[in-house]
Amino acid sequence: MKQTRQRVLGALADGPVSGPRLADEFAISRAAVWKHVEALREEGFVIESDDSGYRLIEIPEMSGAALELGLDAPFEIEYHKVIDSTNARARTLAANGATDSVVVASAQTAGRGRRNREWESPPGGVYLSIVCQPDLSPAESPLYTLAAAVATTRAARETGIDARIKWPNDVLVVNENDERKLAGILTEMQGEAGQVAWLVVGIGVNVDDPNIDGAVGLRNDQADKTEATERNAIETRIFVQRLLEEFDALRNNTDAILPAWRDNAITLGRRVRAQTPRGDVIGQATDIESPGALVIETNDGNVRIHAGDCEHLHQT
Ligand code: BT5
């Protein structure tokens, strides 16, 4: 049902097409065609009909079908205007056997960060969780967090902003000495006996000014007004599609993840303080090693940090 609707939408996007032709092409009744068109209209698509047939006039900014339209990655997308947490919903889907599903929402009422921290999720943001069943051991799963950070950074940079990755799971916009958080990533998984059963990669991206200390939105970094006006035209639908396409490409080419991460990271070369369960480590961040360890050069030699929070320090 959903697949046929998506194919009807694809045919509409390719040009005006008559009801009988759609019925023929997809071997369904004309009444079924009409029902699909009505359902798409309800989802926000503007579809006109006249003697020559149906004509797609407008695509909604956000909807499951709109996000799947023209998407060059094999994800099935479920869209919610508001949800408690896309990660919570994605975990339920994953536990029921789903894979390559993505839950997208424009607002969350109970968005989560790492270690039970809150992720503020006002309306107009992009909150999404990707469910997958990768052929990885649980220890390798940080690679997917890195891939998500690269994908988010690349999609954000395509909108014209200077996004950079901060280890391990933040995407920042950097202006002179000011770093603000554009996006955060929360990866959750279940696995045993050396194999991940499912993995959920949750990505929260600020779009409009979130009005949160230290945060920035895709549409509101402190660039000059003309650029900012252009940025207002950023289509969140295209941004989400580009993010998912980049993520899909990286998970299918895992050797490319670390080099791409190095290219987009701002943490490397910086003096950092990493807070770990075993105490703080201070030094110069020099590299990232598979599956996601930050290498810090300290007075006592190189230390590898596998998880924790990281603070960029001013150079001394
Ligand atoms: C993260 O945690 O950065 C991971 C955030 C993941 C959110 C996504 S949204 C889709 C999916 N569904 C969910 O429920 N979660 C995921 P962490 O590194 O722990 O950073 C959390 C900290 O970031 C908070 O303690 C605040 O200081 C700050 N923060 C909260 N909301 C923010 C926002 N909207 N923008 C920037 N910073 C924020």
Side-chain angles (χ1 to χ4, degrees):
M1 179 78 177
K2 203 183 159 201
Q3 267 178 356
T4 309
R5 182 160 309 152
Q6 204 61 38
R7 287 161 69 202
V8 167
L9 175 59
L12 290 173
D14 285 343
V17 55
S18 72
R21 234 189 84 200
L22 286 171
D24 244 25
E25 197 170 332
F26 301 121
I28 53 176
S29 68
R30 288 185 200 183
V33 168
W34 184 82
K35 270 194 191 154
H36 286 306
V37 169
E38 277 310 295
L40 288 167
R41 283 178 171 147
E42 260 168 48
E43 223 176 292
F45 290 87
V46 179
I47 301 164
E48 282 181 357
S49 49
D50 58 25
D51 292 348
S52 64
Y54 294 110
R55 197 181 295 269
L56 179 62
I57 306 291
E58 201 178 305
I59 300 169
E61 186 69 7
M62 280 283 156
S63 96
L67 288 167
E68 280 181 35
L69 179 64
L71 175 68
D72 189 16
F75 295 118
E76 192 165 312
I77 299 179
E78 178 184 295
Y79 172 72
H80 301 261
K81 204 164 176 202
V82 186
I83 196 169
D84 51 357
S85 151
T86 56
N87 261 41
R89 171 70 186 146
R91 289 176 64 118
T92 305
L93 292 177
N96 290 331
T99 185
D100 289 359
S101 298
V102 182
V103 183
V104 181
S106 296
Q108 296 184 119
T109 54
R112 289 185 285 119
R114 293 178 302 154
R115 285 182 234 123
N116 282 329
R117 290 190 281 234
E118 185 192 357
W119 183 256
E120 292 187 47
S121 313
V126 167
Y127 312 100
L128 68 87
S129 300
I130 307 167
V131 181
C132 33
Q133 292 180 359
D135 189 15
L136 292 179
S137 70
E140 291 168 316
S141 64
L143 263 183
Y144 270 47
T145 304
L146 302 187
V150 172
T152 307
T153 302
R154 283 183 169 164
R157 294 184 72 80
E158 283 175 18
T159 73
I161 67 174
D162 193 12
R164 298 275 166 193
I165 305 168
K166 176 183 170 204
W167 186 88
N169 69 325
D170 288 351
V171 178
L172 307 179
V173 175
V174 182
N175 283 298
E176 290 170 17
N177 284 330
D178 181 52
E179 296 179 344
R180 287 165 180 266
K181 186 157 166 172
L182 176 74
I185 298 162
L186 172 66
T187 303
E188 300 182 283
M189 60 152 184
Q190 191 151 79
E192 56 185 47
Q195 176 65 44
V196 169
W198 55 253
L199 190 129
V200 166
V201 185
I203 307 172
V205 187
N206 299 316
V207 178
D208 295 319
D209 183 357
N211 220 342
I212 299 164
D213 263 4
V216 67
L218 269 184
R219 287 181 179 142
N220 88 314
D221 79 52
Q222 304 85 18
D224 70 67
K225 279 226 171 64
T226 29
E227 269 182 65
T229 318
E230 244 168 60
R231 230 172 266 124
N232 277 330
I234 290 166
E235 286 181 60
T236 44
R237 182 176 73 91
I238 305 292
F239 170 76
V240 171
Q241 289 184 327
R242 290 294 304 124
L243 189 165
L244 293 175
E245 288 167 356
E246 288 288 342
F247 179 80
D248 184 53
L250 287 166
R251 72 174 173 160
N252 287 320
N253 181 15
T254 46
D255 287 349
I257 297 174
L258 286 185
W261 193 94
R262 288 186 189 104
D263 279 351
N264 286 285
I266 194 170
T267 301
L268 299 184
R270 293 290 299 260
R271 238 177 98 72
V272 298
R273 175 189 294 123
Q275 287 147 349
T276 79
R278 273 172 289 159
D280 287 4
V281 177
I282 296 179
Q284 186 98 0
T286 56
D287 200 9
I288 183 103
E289 284 181 0
S290 190
L294 185 68
V295 183
I296 302 179
E297 195 181 288
T298 71
N299 292 338
D300 307 318
N302 281 347
V303 179
R304 284 164 183 75
I305 311 288
H306 295 271
D309 285 314
C310 169
E311 191 188 334
H312 290 162
L313 303 174
H314 293 294
Q315 308 293 65
T316 49

